[in-house]
Amino acid sequence: MKLYCLSGHPTLPCNVLKFKSTTIMLDCGLDTTSVLNFLPLPLVHSPRLSKLPGWVSKDGTVNLEKELKECAGRVFVDSQPEFCLPEKELLDLSTIDVILISNYHCMMALPYITEHTGFTGTVYATEPTLQIGRLLMEELVNFMERVPKAQSATCWKNKEIQRMLPGPLKDAVEVWTWKRCYSMQEVNSALSKVQLVGYSQKVELFGAVQVSPLSSGYSLGSSNWIIQSHHEKVAYVSGSSLLTTHPQPMDQSSLKNSDVLILTGLTQMPTANPDGMLGDFCSNLAMTIRAGGNVLVPCYSSGVIYDLLECLYQFIESASLGTTPFYFISPVANSSLEFSQIFAEWLCHNKQSKVYLPEPPFPHAELIQTNKLKHYPSIHGDFSSEFRQPCVVFTGHPSLRFGDVVHFMELWGKSSLNTIIFTEPDFSYLDALAPYQPLAMKCVYCPIDTRLNFHQVSKLLKEVQPLHVVCPEQYTQPPPSQSHRSDLMLELQPPPMPYRRCSVLSLPFRRRYERIHLLPELANSLVPSEIKPGISVATVSAVLHSKDNKHTLQSVPKPPPVPPTKKRKRVIEEPPEVLAPKPLLSGAVPLEAFLATLHKHGITEVKVEETADGHILHLQAEDTLIQLEEDGTHIVCDNNEPLRLL
């Protein structure tokens, strides 16, 4: 059993498991942190960005004025933002049989895998994962396509040139493999390969293994996966949460008795408590509005935003913000808000029960009815005529490199009354803000990451007790910024097996057993004899029939009866000859008796040598070796077939 790691980002995993003749891809996350190296894509012409000076190396040998621009001491690529893809060269991706998706954030690289590698398999995901994943991909394509860039920067990617570049660009990995965003046509084609599954539904893969999704408690429809055969069980835990937010709670008991547990997608903010962060979020928001400023919240169009709106719903009245308008701007804003209300069976129990009242499970429905929350596909059109300040704007993208958020950064960045509140933990907020410096607006960092922290994971692993744990190497040491915090890492006995991008692990358990079915008539013919009280043994002579990884023992075909002889024989009528099977011998070869038998047959010069597994007999006159081992006998003799048969 082998595990191939195709992505080095622990929260955006992409691994391939080879298990019992099946090749299974676990998630295909897209590493979007690469976009931080690019200049933002403004929706309207930005004089500030267009006046940035080009970059020339200090000695003037490297001149990339057209490709690289300098802003506040940092260098950015002036081109369409590009993404860091999962590794494609480590193994032939066309051999992948299935892709299992654990949540909608971990499927953003799907079109790159299914459309450009010769992939012919099936993708399994739950319905909310598919539908919200579709929205996020659609939003990404929309953001990129509505601000087309004429030129594409490629010179800076040259290895020789990249070495001379400053800062983050110099250390960026595998820039040659970075790719532009896919098209909507590729998204639709990729998602047409998805087959929907429900929690605990068992899916057979070629009769060899069974896969089944379990609720992971992190987002709508998010899953952990169990991959098992008759005798082995692998658990894949990715992006799970034990907090009571809107999704169904995590199913822990089904993870028990795993031989291997592959663990990824832990919290990116182990020191930040999500409840505390929500409190900070609300108080900073209220403070800014009271002072007459605007609040900008860069966010994804699904997920944490539902919790933010729910929190604000309870907070608005008490903080007397009843008249402040809240705007949610995204090409998929409307669909996202509606989807969250219709996926009732994927919600936690108290939200499910509201559906039967009937009431909308999320309070943002009421905010929309009372006109406190308005949503728009973009800043053009209705929004520009209805927009009034001070207000709160939720919009994407959290990287601040594309989407409507770029416009608000240019619009509000110069006033210290305004505040930007970061809630998504995927991007470093300092790197996100770098191309907007110098910036007057206030910045507040309230990262909300509900995924498991190290304390919760240690407790979970104690309860489910897997034999082996496999995890990204980042989890086996404290974070670089806090190297003294040994509580911010996985400490297990035995220690977990770490992996990094492009590593191939041989997982430490061997398959020992296979399930075989006996046909009833064969079982009927067995005669067991008792060798110890309660233990009986019977010898079986049968034909092993294997198809679709199912093995059956069938009776040996009997030779047909010989027909009475006729004078004129026609050749065609002769039945095919079926040989009766040879009797199979088992057990160890008794050495003394064997030597005596050899002696009887005139083989007298035998030199016996003991080995770790048995004996080697050297028949000196005949120049032949016989190796007797526990599980086999080998006869090595040169071109003397009669002797070998004897």
Side-chain angles (χ1 to χ4, degrees):
M1 182 191 259
K2 280 196 158 56
L3 184 74
Y4 298 78
C5 171
L6 309 186
S7 155
H9 196 303
T11 0
L12 299 166
C14 180
N15 297 312
V16 172
L17 182 71
K18 285 201 170 179
F19 177 38
K20 269 198 84 168
S21 69
T22 55
T23 305
I24 301 170
M25 179 176 273
L26 306 169
D27 282 333
C28 44
L30 185 62
D31 188 350
T32 44
T33 50
S34 57
V35 302
L36 295 174
N37 295 300
F38 292 80
L39 276 184
L41 296 180
L43 291 179
V44 289
H45 175 72
S46 157
R48 183 185 74 84
L49 287 174
S50 56
K51 286 189 189 129
L52 289 177
W55 182 82
V56 182
S57 65
K58 286 210 171 64
D59 54 3
T61 49
V62 184
N63 183 346
L64 292 173
E65 286 185 10
K66 286 203 166 53
E67 293 193 0
L68 303 182
K69 300 278 185 256
E70 257 186 275
C71 174
R74 292 275 288 263
V75 175
F76 298 94
V77 183
D78 185 12
S79 169
Q80 191 88 22
E82 295 179 336
F83 305 118
C84 179
L85 271 50
E87 178 58 50
K88 285 185 171 181
E89 303 300 314
L90 195 58
L91 81 163
D92 179 359
L93 296 183
S94 65
T95 61
I96 289 171
D97 301 311
V98 293
I99 301 179
L100 307 180
I101 302 291
S102 46
N103 61 63
Y104 44 76
H105 287 299
C106 293
M107 65 186 290
M108 300 298 281
L110 201 58
Y112 295 114
I113 306 274
T114 60
E115 303 312 295
H116 302 291
T117 60
F119 171 81
T120 53
T122 314
V123 184
Y124 289 101
T126 60
E127 190 179 0
T129 298
L130 169 69
Q131 300 300 1
I132 296 173
R134 183 190 298 277
L135 294 184
L136 291 176
M137 288 179 182
E138 195 179 311
E139 180 182 61
L140 196 62
V141 172
N142 188 306
F143 283 161
M144 294 298 187
E145 287 182 352
R146 66 185 183 189
V147 190
K149 276 259 190 194
Q151 83 281 14
S152 184
T154 52
C155 298
W156 73 275
K157 292 182 174 185
N158 182 322
K159 278 202 176 102
E160 297 306 308
I161 292 179
Q162 193 196 351
R163 283 218 303 262
M164 301 177 180
L165 300 180
L169 280 179
K170 181 169 76 178
D171 310 317
V173 285
E174 315 210 9
V175 291
W176 269 113
T177 61
W178 290 8
K179 287 272 186 300
R180 287 182 151 202
C181 189
Y182 32 70
S183 67
M184 210 49 223
Q185 187 186 351
E186 289 171 317
V187 169
N188 291 330
S189 172
L191 296 181
S192 69
K193 300 177 173 70
V194 176
Q195 204 167 317
L196 297 181
V197 285
Y199 288 152
S200 303
Q201 180 183 337
K202 293 180 166 51
V203 180
E204 285 272 340
L205 305 186
F206 320 110
V209 294
Q210 225 182 32
V211 298
S212 155
L214 312 170
S215 170
S216 79
Y218 166 58
S219 60
L220 281 180
S222 67
S223 341
N224 292 323
W225 288 85
I226 295 291
I227 303 156
Q228 61 186 2
S229 64
H230 295 306
H231 299 286
E232 298 89 18
K233 176 172 173 180
V234 177
Y236 175 58
V237 175
S238 163
S240 305
S241 175
L242 293 170
L243 300 180
T244 41
T245 53
H246 58 275
Q248 249 190 54
M250 178 180 176
D251 175 353
Q252 298 176 48
S253 57
S254 308
L255 299 170
K256 286 182 177 159
N257 309 325
S258 307
D259 296 289
V260 171
L261 186 140
I262 302 167
L263 176 69
T264 173
L266 298 184
T267 176
Q268 302 184 62
M269 292 292 140
T271 51
N273 166 10
D275 285 340
M277 290 295 150
L278 268 176
D280 288 359
F281 171 79
C282 291
S283 57
N284 278 293
L285 183 136
M287 229 156 58
T288 303
I289 298 291
R290 287 194 193 111
N294 300 296
V295 177
L296 179 60
V297 186
C299 61
Y300 293 113
S301 51
S302 175
V304 171
I305 183 166
Y306 305 146
D307 299 316
L308 293 177
L309 293 171
E310 184 156 354
C311 182
L312 284 171
Y313 173 77
Q314 295 156 357
F315 179 75
I316 286 171
E317 295 309 319
S318 63
S320 56
L321 298 174
T323 54
T324 309
F326 289 77
Y327 300 117
F328 175 23
I329 304 171
S330 159
V332 297
N334 185 33
S335 319
S336 171
L337 293 171
E338 285 179 355
F339 268 139
S340 64
Q341 305 286 14
I342 59 172
F343 285 134
E345 76 267 36
W346 306 91
L347 295 169
C348 61
H349 183 70
N350 65 3
K351 285 204 175 348
Q352 270 187 29
S353 49
K354 285 188 176 173
V355 179
Y356 303 110
L357 285 176
E359 261 181 36
F362 283 98
H364 55 241
E366 196 181 315
L367 289 173
I368 293 170
Q369 279 164 359
T370 55
N371 250 350
K372 287 182 179 139
L373 172 67
K374 297 185 177 184
H375 52 85
Y376 301 92
S378 78
I379 55 173
H380 304 298
D382 293 347
F383 172 73
S384 47
S385 56
E386 295 175 10
F387 168 60
R388 57 188 182 81
Q389 307 187 45
C391 62
V392 178
V393 171
F394 296 89
T395 186
H397 184 265
S399 65
L400 309 191
R401 291 302 176 269
F402 39 84
D404 301 275
V405 71
V406 177
H407 184 71
F408 287 101
M409 289 299 297
E410 298 284 338
L411 189 68
W412 290 344
K414 300 177 189 62
S415 161
S416 58
L417 286 176
N418 302 323
T419 302
I420 177 169
I421 305 181
F422 290 91
T423 56
E424 298 291 351
D426 291 1
F427 301 93
S428 142
Y429 74 105
L430 293 172
D431 290 344
L433 292 170
Y436 298 96
Q437 300 295 0
L439 196 66
M441 83 192 287
K442 291 196 282 293
C443 303
V444 178
Y445 189 47
C446 301
I448 296 171
D449 195 335
T450 57
R451 286 174 279 217
L452 296 173
N453 60 32
F454 290 102
H455 172 67
Q456 292 167 326
V457 137
S458 303
K459 201 168 144 209
L460 173 74
L461 291 174
K462 274 200 189 85
E463 279 167 27
V464 302
Q465 295 193 316
L467 289 180
H468 302 279
V469 175
V470 182
C471 69
E473 68 175 1
Q474 287 94 323
Y475 298 162
T476 58
Q477 55 217 27
S481 55
Q482 296 168 297
S483 51
H484 60 287
R485 297 276 308 257
S486 62
D487 57 329
L488 300 184
M489 59 182 274
L490 274 185
E491 291 193 274
L492 304 172
Q493 261 356 81
M497 298 179 64
Y499 63 76
R500 56 153 79 93
R501 188 179 172 110
C502 290
S503 58
V504 180
L505 297 187
S506 286
L507 297 185
F509 76 82
R510 308 207 83 79
R511 289 186 19 236
R512 291 210 182 92
Y513 302 108
E514 198 52 89
R515 183 173 287 188
I516 296 187
H517 296 276
L518 280 173
L519 285 189
E521 59 268 25
L522 181 65
N524 219 359
S525 69
L526 298 183
V527 184
S529 54
E530 194 164 30
I531 50 166
K532 274 187 199 162
I535 296 180
S536 301
V537 167
T539 56
V540 185
S541 291
V543 174
L544 177 64
H545 179 260
S546 293
K547 184 181 178 190
D548 289 341
N549 292 298
K550 300 250 187 294
H551 310 290
T552 318
L553 285 180
Q554 302 175 344
S555 309
V556 179
K558 295 185 171 69
V562 181
T565 52
K566 282 187 184 168
K567 284 279 162 58
R568 292 175 58 195
K569 258 193 183 172
R570 285 183 60 191
V571 186
I572 308 164
E573 285 175 3
E574 284 194 10
E577 194 181 351
V578 177
L579 295 174
K582 287 183 187 166
L584 297 176
L585 302 171
S586 67
V589 178
L591 194 62
E592 299 303 320
F594 183 44
L595 289 171
T597 315
L598 285 175
H599 203 273
K600 260 189 216 160
H601 287 82
I603 298 170
T604 49
E605 292 181 46
V606 181
K607 187 175 163 207
V608 181
E609 203 181 304
E610 278 210 29
T611 63
D613 297 329
H615 295 85
I616 294 179
L617 279 50
H618 187 198
L619 318 188
Q620 288 166 317
E622 291 79 6
D623 195 21
T624 293
L625 286 180
I626 302 176
Q627 289 176 319
L628 301 176
E629 290 171 3
E630 201 177 324
D631 49 5
T633 302
H634 305 279
I635 302 168
V636 188
C637 67
D638 236 359
N639 293 338
N640 188 345
E641 189 60 9
L643 178 69
R644 190 184 73 79
L645 287 171
L646 170 72

